[in-house]
Amino acid sequence: MHSVVHAISGSLEPTNVGSTAASTFDTASPTWSPVGTNESVVGTNTASASKPIANSASENLLVKKADTCQKNQRHEWRSMGPPTRSEYLKAVQCLQRLKSTAAALPGTRTRFDDFQAYHISVTTKVHEVGQFLPWHRWFLHTYELALRHECDYQGPIPFWDWTKDAYPENPAVFRSSPIFDASGGFGPLPLVRGPISHGVFAKYNLSFGTGPPLNRTNHLIERGFDITMLSHLTERAVEITLGKKTFETFRIELEGKPITPEPKVHDSGHRAVGGDMGDTYSSPGDPLFYLHHANLDRLWWKWQTADPHHRLYQISGRSTQAPPFQNVTLNTTLPTEPLGRSIQIHEVMDIGNGLLCYTYA
């Protein structure tokens, strides 16, 4: 039996930067018996309304779809040239200037606020549940549409492969990553929690602090390096995650605390940056949120395509944090309004479909 908490109870970030203090995720919880945790069983979870594709044609079908969607290929940040990086940063700044269109979310000033506020409002519905990965896939796509349609961004959507920066024996490598460049990146990562000191986001004021609920504030984006997270962001950590045989064990291994006793790649990526990024609810206040979750989506897609016949439409897990528990299915709704239309999980399981249509370089 797998133990999980009743609800998220605070920040992903530990009490002190660089400390090993217990996270507020370490709370007592009701129990949940997840489906598909038997690693000896490789196959589609019948309790999850899975939709397997024909084994003989599955790989050819994926290749064909990938060819069709090559125009929208996501790239690792450092592989993008300086002009393209600059255009992406300008597009994010554009969202930070545009007026909010989400009247249903009180306190929002900008379009960038809209996404952070909505994430805060649905946090307990989309974390520690089976729809965690599908919901964030659709959330990122909705954000991408805003960048392209409202800010005319034409370039690739970036992801951040933190395995290229995470060396526990040499923490300085992480802080010197191009992602934290002051002139061509997202601004520095301070050793001690504080505002971003230089770069294009140094003077941007967030409208919301830590949740829940929507906590109206006016503060600069903050970060604070936690070196204890680096050991959970290595190539070995990713290898362990991708080695899981069922979606249930994969999603648990990827998401991490409080479902697991130790941090994993999802929560460690948040907590390593710390500050606003390290808060469970308000983490989209740091523009790095979207690159971190794009990388997690990339890992999920890599896991799916390693065995597409069994994994492309494999889904499982509880659909709510609190009992009575029910299994998530391919027909479970992913709430997105007022940011965009709400859809069902089956619509985002294949990133090569007509709705999403993107690939990873």
Side-chain angles (χ1 to χ4, degrees):
M1 185 167 287
H2 195 77
S3 178
V4 288
V5 297
H6 176 78
I8 293 178
S9 56
S11 172
L12 284 162
E13 183 187 7
T15 305
N16 298 310
V17 175
S19 75
T20 55
S23 166
T24 49
F25 279 84
D26 303 327
T27 352
S29 62
T31 55
W32 155 252
S33 298
V35 179
T37 53
N38 182 358
E39 284 288 78
S40 65
V41 178
V42 181
T44 302
N45 188 337
T46 56
S48 320
S50 295
K51 180 183 175 184
I53 57 180
N55 195 27
S56 59
S58 61
E59 292 185 6
N60 289 335
L61 177 62
L62 289 173
V63 169
K64 184 177 179 181
K65 287 181 176 180
D67 288 342
T68 304
C69 299
Q70 279 297 324
K71 291 181 181 178
N72 190 10
Q73 190 177 69
R74 295 182 175 182
H75 289 260
E76 212 279 330
W77 177 255
R78 69 203 85 204
S79 73
M80 294 163 54
T84 308
R85 294 186 208 175
S86 177
E87 288 304 310
Y88 178 81
L89 295 174
K90 287 176 183 177
V92 176
Q93 286 183 291
C94 166
L95 287 184
Q96 292 176 336
R97 289 191 303 269
L98 289 178
K99 227 176 148 180
S100 167
T101 61
L105 298 170
T108 53
R109 295 180 298 109
T110 69
R111 286 292 284 132
F112 189 78
D113 283 350
D114 290 348
F115 286 87
Q116 184 191 24
Y118 190 71
H119 186 274
I120 293 171
S121 70
V122 298
T123 291
T124 57
K125 297 179 181 178
V126 297
H127 292 79
E128 306 168 48
V129 288
Q131 61 267 37
F132 169 74
L133 283 167
W135 185 87
H136 281 85
R137 176 173 282 178
W138 182 237
F139 184 64
L140 262 64
H141 181 69
T142 307
Y143 182 76
E144 175 185 350
L145 293 179
L147 290 172
R148 297 198 185 284
H149 297 165
E150 300 175 45
C151 295
D152 198 31
Y153 178 63
Q154 304 293 319
I157 295 300
F159 62 90
W160 173 27
D161 183 359
W162 15 252
T163 65
K164 298 178 182 295
D165 305 311
Y167 295 91
E169 69 282 0
N170 189 4
V173 173
F174 194 82
R175 294 182 65 237
S176 63
S177 168
I179 207 89
F180 297 116
D181 188 78
S183 58
F186 292 77
L189 175 61
L191 284 170
V192 178
R193 178 167 178 160
I196 299 174
S197 58
H198 299 84
V200 295
F201 303 117
K203 295 182 179 179
Y204 182 72
N205 281 280
L206 293 174
S207 298
F208 301 98
T210 57
L214 286 175
N215 179 21
R216 189 77 166 84
T217 65
N218 186 26
H219 71 280
L220 298 173
I221 302 172
E222 294 186 344
R223 293 177 182 153
F225 185 32
D226 186 346
I227 64 174
T228 66
M229 295 297 108
L230 296 188
S231 61
H232 307 291
L233 295 172
T234 61
E235 290 183 355
R236 177 57 182 157
V238 169
E239 182 182 349
I240 292 171
T241 305
L242 293 175
K244 298 302 178 182
K245 304 298 184 184
T246 66
F247 177 79
E248 188 69 3
T249 53
F250 172 79
R251 74 161 185 96
I252 290 170
E253 181 68 26
L254 181 142
E255 187 173 1
K257 297 181 75 170
I259 308 176
T260 59
E262 297 296 325
K264 302 296 180 179
V265 293
H266 164 248
D267 52 326
S268 295
H270 281 282
R271 293 167 65 174
V273 177
D276 292 290
M277 175 72 164
D279 182 74
T280 313
Y281 294 83
S282 62
S283 48
D286 191 323
L288 278 177
F289 169 93
Y290 298 96
L291 280 74
H292 172 50
H293 270 274
N295 194 43
L296 297 175
D297 182 69
R298 180 181 70 93
L299 295 181
W300 180 27
W301 182 242
K302 191 172 183 178
W303 182 86
Q304 287 180 285
T305 54
D307 184 5
H309 174 63
H310 293 112
R311 296 179 179 179
L312 190 60
Y313 285 92
Q314 189 179 148
I315 194 74
S316 64
R318 61 179 186 175
S319 59
T320 58
Q321 287 188 1
F325 296 124
Q326 291 185 353
N327 285 330
V328 70
T329 74
L330 289 171
N331 295 324
T332 298
T333 297
L334 303 174
T336 323
E337 297 171 359
L339 296 181
R341 72 180 182 92
S342 296
I343 62 170
Q344 294 182 333
I345 286 178
H346 68 86
E347 297 180 74
V348 298
M349 294 299 288
D350 182 358
I351 67 172
N353 64 21
L355 178 65
L356 299 177
C357 202
Y358 64 85
T359 62
Y360 284 100

